[in-house]
Amino acid sequence: MLIKMQDITKAMQEKARELLQNKEVELVIGFSKGSLPLRYTPCFIRQPEEAEKLAWGYGCENNLAVYLRKRPEKMAVIAKGCDSRSIVELIKENQVKRENLVIIGVPCRGMIDRQKLSRLLAGKELREAEIKDGLVAVQGKDISASFPLDQLLYDSCLTCQHPNPVLYDYLLGEQVPARGSDTFADVAGFESRPPAERRSYLMKELSRCIRCYACRQACPMCFCEECFADCSMPQWVSKSSLDVQANLFFQAVRVLHLAGRCVDCGACDRACPMGIDLRTLTRKMVRDIQELFGYTAGISLDEKPPLAAPIKTAAGHV
Amino acid sequence: MKVTQRLLETLGIERERLRLAWISASEGAKFAETVTEFTNQLKELGPNPLRTSPGVQEKPCSA
Ligand code: SF4
Ligand code: SF4
């Protein structure tokens, strides 16, 4: 599988070089290797000779669709399944012009959750990681261990139904099989707990919030020019992170604004520096929209978003 | 509305606390009636449970 990743990296660099050389695009947005093992970071390539910086691996976790809005130039973007679904929604919302965008799709095998790994390593420093045949071999100070890849993937990748890009101009690598259906057992489990317990769980999580708004910035769909959380006239919500109710209110409104638009990529959850569980609420919304409107975000360009068209459900119009 | 009510419920807030009614400017009586009824319902439900849940300190003044 390591070979495969290298092949994809190579194909990616070639494609980027070609697109830039032929002046088909001015910019290629992808990933380059970070300075730590398993770390990749978004990168912006404008010159053909810089294309060799591009890389592909198990740490390409950011949703790159977040960088596409309101750019005047023609550009290409590397897109996993989730990135491509966000792009579909952005096109539908007139935020991105399809004709200005070249989508280089990459089927995704899931990304490695470094927090899961660091818990397994009990905080010991990781120096090297190699992925081969579904196993992750890690080396570091006083460690040499190997874990099954599935044990280390992000939760969002473990339930991912669309690992293959839904919209692309070029596809690098082979399509990967989707995982068995997502039953939203986590959401149902949470909802089966008594209300007081749910409240105190969420309040406890959000009591750590520092209002850095990284969750909002990481999300491709959170793009209002003026966010309600930043307004002072009127001030809709307290700006103090000490106000736990307000922190929860901020998340509740964020999730509500993402109804029918969130693709459950998990970017917000990963961006949170305080490790707050944000997916319980985002996934609840994804499930409710599926249940009420039969709509899954980012699957097709033609399907109207649920709030843009009256949709008939078993219970009549909603 | 449905979506919001379901979200509130998950947060542990009763869905009866949120209501949407369309009342035209000429329907004064209906407006008064609806507001009174809703106010009574809210009084019955008592204060917002989020305010009283454990782990919530009151906001430090002028924070
Ligand atoms: S809310 Fe979170 S999971 Fe949903 S699209 Fe935005 S970043 Fe992705
Ligand atoms: S990223 Fe985390 S800490 Fe920052 S505002 Fe969002 S929930 Fe709060």
Side-chain angles (χ1 to χ4, degrees):
Chain A
M1 202 130 42
L2 183 74
I3 311 282
K4 276 242 180 73
M5 287 294 197
Q6 281 168 348
D7 286 347
I8 292 175
T9 298
K10 231 172 128 217
M12 192 178 277
Q13 295 173 348
E14 266 161 33
K15 185 47 79 191
R17 202 171 298 127
E18 176 194 317
L19 290 170
L20 287 165
Q21 240 152 21
N22 300 346
K23 305 245 182 290
E24 281 174 64
V25 299
E26 287 174 48
L27 171 69
V28 179
I29 305 176
F31 291 94
S32 65
K33 265 208 149 100
S35 44
L36 294 171
L38 296 177
R39 264 281 189 188
Y40 289 76
T41 165
C43 88
F44 297 73
I45 306 277
R46 289 183 184 273
Q47 306 299 333
E49 51 281 7
E50 286 178 347
E52 62 196 41
K53 283 194 196 154
L54 287 171
W56 186 249
Y58 284 96
C60 298
E61 58 187 39
N62 304 55
N63 188 334
L64 294 182
V66 76
Y67 299 116
L68 304 181
R69 279 185 62 248
K70 301 238 166 123
R71 279 188 184 274
E73 69 268 59
K74 280 200 124 189
M75 59 197 162
V77 64
I78 308 294
K80 307 180 283 295
C82 48
D83 310 48
S84 75
R85 288 175 59 204
S86 301
I87 295 172
V88 166
E89 285 300 317
L90 286 170
I91 294 173
K92 285 205 262 196
E93 294 184 14
N94 287 326
Q95 297 300 318
V96 170
K97 285 207 184 87
R98 179 69 182 95
E99 59 276 18
N100 277 353
L101 190 64
V102 175
I103 304 171
I104 305 174
V106 186
C108 175
R109 294 176 186 275
M111 294 294 154
I112 290 180
D113 184 340
R114 289 182 310 278
Q115 305 229 345
K116 281 191 188 171
L117 180 59
S118 107
R119 275 197 293 275
L120 285 171
L121 299 180
K124 284 195 199 124
E125 191 194 346
L126 172 73
R127 297 225 172 121
E128 247 174 85
E130 200 180 307
I131 299 128
K132 213 173 180 176
D133 304 327
L135 281 178
V136 187
V138 293
Q139 307 287 336
K141 199 166 183 270
D142 313 324
I143 31 168
S144 168
S146 167
F147 304 102
L149 178 59
D150 264 16
Q151 204 183 331
L152 295 181
L153 295 182
Y154 281 107
D155 289 346
S156 54
C157 302
L158 290 173
T159 50
C160 178
Q161 298 297 296
H162 304 275
N164 300 302
V166 293
L167 183 71
Y168 57 84
D169 300 295
Y170 304 98
L171 192 69
L172 310 180
E174 282 159 34
Q175 305 251 0
V176 301
R179 299 192 175 251
S181 68
D182 183 2
T183 54
F184 290 92
D186 50 339
V187 178
F190 183 72
E191 292 191 329
S192 69
R193 286 157 66 177
E197 216 179 292
R198 293 201 298 262
R199 277 199 299 270
S200 61
Y201 172 77
L202 291 169
M203 294 292 261
K204 205 168 144 222
E205 284 294 303
L206 269 311
S207 67
R208 300 201 299 276
C209 175
I210 54 172
R211 292 293 192 94
C212 63
Y213 301 121
C215 48
R216 177 185 77 186
Q217 301 312 113
C219 176
M221 304 316 292
C222 238
F223 55 70
C224 291
E225 299 290 332
E226 195 178 348
C227 176
F228 82 102
D230 296 332
C231 288
S232 354
M233 292 230 299
Q235 183 174 307
W236 302 105
V237 56
S238 156
K239 295 174 203 271
S240 161
S241 64
L242 297 174
D243 187 342
V244 184
Q245 284 170 55
N247 296 346
L248 181 55
F249 179 64
F250 163 61
Q251 281 304 329
V253 178
R254 192 180 76 86
V255 164
L256 207 51
H257 285 179
L258 288 158
R261 310 167 66 234
C262 169
V263 301
D264 195 15
C265 62
C268 48
D269 195 90
R270 290 195 284 274
C272 178
M274 304 307 285
I276 296 170
D277 165 18
L278 297 177
R279 286 187 78 234
T280 296
L281 289 182
T282 52
R283 270 173 66 73
K284 182 230 162 22
M285 189 51 81
V286 170
R287 196 223 34 202
D288 277 7
I289 296 295
Q290 272 179 12
E291 253 179 42
L292 288 169
F293 301 96
Y295 183 82
T296 307
I299 301 303
S300 102
L301 278 172
D302 307 320
E303 203 183 344
K304 280 237 162 99
L307 299 182
I311 289 181
K312 264 204 139 137
T313 65
H317 283 291
V318 209
Chain B
M1 264 308 275
K2 242 195 192 147
V3 174
T4 314
Q5 282 177 332
R6 285 172 69 144
L7 177 66
L8 287 180
E9 201 139 67
T10 301
L11 301 183
I13 301 173
E14 302 88 340
R15 62 167 72 194
E16 294 76 26
R17 288 181 189 274
L18 182 71
R19 195 189 280 196
L20 176 71
W22 300 106
I23 304 169
S24 110
S26 61
E27 296 175 304
K30 188 173 167 201
F31 177 72
E33 208 178 281
T34 310
V35 172
T36 316
E37 197 213 319
F38 191 40
T39 318
N40 288 339
Q41 188 181 342
L42 287 179
K43 276 190 188 144
E44 227 165 84
L45 285 167
N48 175 356
L50 280 190
R51 285 190 176 274
T52 50
S53 45
V56 182
Q57 330 112 280
E58 278 302 311
K59 234 198 291 186
C61 50
S62 74

